[in-house]
Amino acid sequence: MPVEFLGIAATNDGSEVTPRSGASFDKDYTLKLARAHEEYGWDRVLFAYGSGSPDPSPAAAYVAARTDTLQILVAHRPNVSYPTFAAKTFATLDRISDGRLAVHFITGGNDHEQRREGDTLTKDERYDRTREYIRIVKKIWTTHEPFDHEGTHYRFHDFVSDTFPLQQPHPQVSFGGSSPAAYAAGGAEADIYCLWGEPLAQTAEQIASVKAAARAAGRSDVPRIQVAFRPIIAPTEDLAWEKAHRTLDRIKAHKAGGALSRRHPLTGPQNAGSQRLLAVAAEGERHDRALWTPTAAETGGAGNSTALVGTPETVAQALLDYYDLGVDILSARGYDLLDDAIDFGRYVIPLVREEVAKRDAERAATGARQAS
């Protein structure tokens, strides 16, 4: 099966290891980073969402109009706009990008962050709302006759859009989460299901849960699986581990200045994904071939925060271990955003693609022999 690589479309050069050097939306840096991903073989970049961050949709439109092949994944929280408005926004963006859009719907795993923009629902209520929201957006994208909607969270009458996506039947829907409510919602509605980087055994368990939820929802297909990591690579293993420990020291120094606490609670996270990452970190620093957890522990399991450490060959093989589990979208984001995107694209992506091509050729040959 084909493999895809997802990077980050940061709007400034700040990260867990360094403060940003300019405005939160630095359009020159945003475009430079996006073009680096396009040039070095990445398939898609994520425009993330934060309550006080630049809005991802216009940022994505800016990049889409200035790149040729780079696909875009726009994160969206259902609490921030009505689904009728969102559906038109994304359809327009799909047109601007010539059909390069996917949308990542975020339910929200932290009550405090959600309340910053007026969202007071409980976590289970948020998942129920997200599921309703995605269904509405999909219907708007594919319906050319006016319709009414009377749901738990949304009500409207006689709506029909005059703006439809270029992609048919619609852009891909991306979703993530590690709780039973998340599996149920994403298993039912998502084209892509996103996980954070856990050890292989735990990742296999989550994939099984997603597939079971899809079957329970009556689907004949299952979502594609995406897993996210923070790669730390260097020419030798020793240099890679030295770099990893320097990176951890930089995280600690940046954290000591209070720069990380507003983004994510550094202790006692509410969301199941972060809780799982912290549990993995408590079990040990190193797992499987190259998975390293202190970066997750130091940031409270904040999102994509477990690292893969080693030479490009080691990290590529680690990624292939996940590919062999059924993961076909590999998300990676370094700590020095631009330089790491270039290095990963230059040294790791070609290795993974070459080996995936070999695996696919071997499977095809085996299938042909069995059929003959």
Side-chain angles (χ1 to χ4, degrees), residues 51 111-119 261-263:
S51 59
D111 290 345
H112 183 67
E113 168 68 5
Q114 294 300 121
R115 287 170 183 162
R116 284 173 171 154
E117 294 187 282
D119 186 7
S261 59
R262 182 167 176 80
R263 296 182 185 180

Side-chain angles (χ1 to χ4, degrees), residues 31 49-50 70 74 78 116 136 161 168 193 198 229 232 235 250 254 260 301 308 320 343 369:
L31 184 57
Y49 190 95
L70 188 66
V74 172
R116 284 173 171 154
I136 293 170
S161 178
Q168 295 299 316
Y193 200 99
E198 297 185 16
F229 304 96
I232 301 175
R250 294 171 69 191
H254 199 42
L260 302 182
L308 291 178
L320 287 162
D343 285 349
R369 287 194 299 270

Side-chain angles (χ1 to χ4, degrees), residues 160-171:
V160 63
S161 178
D162 192 34
T163 306
F164 293 91
L166 184 63
Q167 297 178 78
Q168 295 299 316
H170 55 70

Side-chain angles (χ1 to χ4, degrees), residues 63 67 80 98 116 123 131 182 221 257 280 292 303 326 345 350 361 369:
V63 165
T67 54
V80 301
D98 295 322
R116 284 173 171 154
K123 183 178 178 181
R131 194 166 179 173
D221 64 339
V280 168
W292 194 53
R369 287 194 299 270

Side-chain angles (χ1 to χ4, degrees), residues 280-299:
V280 168
E283 293 172 4
E285 290 191 355
R286 297 176 67 169
H287 299 262
D288 301 324
R289 191 187 299 268
L291 189 69
W292 194 53
T293 63
T295 48
E298 195 63 34
T299 56

Side-chain angles (χ1 to χ4, degrees), residues 60-94:
Y62 172 75
V63 165
R66 292 162 177 82
T67 54
D68 298 316
T69 60
L70 188 66
Q71 299 175 66
I72 54 178
L73 176 61
V74 172
H76 179 72
R77 288 182 185 166
N79 59 291
V80 301
S81 72
Y82 219 68
T84 51
F85 177 83
K88 294 184 297 180
T89 299
F90 299 138
T92 304
L93 185 50
D94 195 51

Side-chain angles (χ1 to χ4, degrees), residues 218-361:
R219 291 179 61 168
S220 58
D221 64 339
V222 294
R224 300 170 65 198
I225 302 297
Q226 172 185 307
V227 179
F229 304 96
R230 308 300 292 271
I232 301 175
I233 62 172
T236 70
E237 294 295 325
D238 286 345
L239 289 174
W241 285 104
E242 289 176 13
K243 182 179 178 181
H245 287 287
R246 287 199 308 273
T247 298
L248 184 61
D249 288 342
R250 294 171 69 191
I251 292 172
K252 291 178 179 179
H254 199 42
K255 175 182 172 182
L260 302 182
S261 59
R262 182 167 176 80
R263 296 182 185 180
H264 184 91
L266 300 180
T267 58
Q270 292 178 306
N271 60 309
S274 293
Q275 292 169 5
R276 289 176 65 97
L277 292 187
L278 292 178
V280 168
E283 293 172 4
E285 290 191 355
R286 297 176 67 169
H287 299 262
D288 301 324
R289 191 187 299 268
L291 189 69
W292 194 53
T293 63
T295 48
E298 195 63 34
T299 56
N304 176 14
S305 56
T306 48
L308 291 178
V309 182
T311 63
E313 292 78 13
T314 295
V315 170
Q317 288 299 319
L319 292 169
L320 287 162
D321 291 339
Y322 288 89
Y323 175 82
D324 290 338
L325 289 180
V327 177
D328 66 344
I329 303 176
L330 300 169
S331 174
R333 170 166 56 101
Y335 287 96
D336 294 299
L337 300 175
L338 180 60
D339 289 344
D340 287 346
I342 293 171
D343 285 349
F344 188 88
R346 178 180 285 158
Y347 300 117
V348 178
I349 288 178
L351 295 176
V352 176
R353 291 200 194 280
E354 180 181 4
E355 190 58 38
V356 166
K358 289 179 182 178
R359 281 164 160 76
D360 289 347

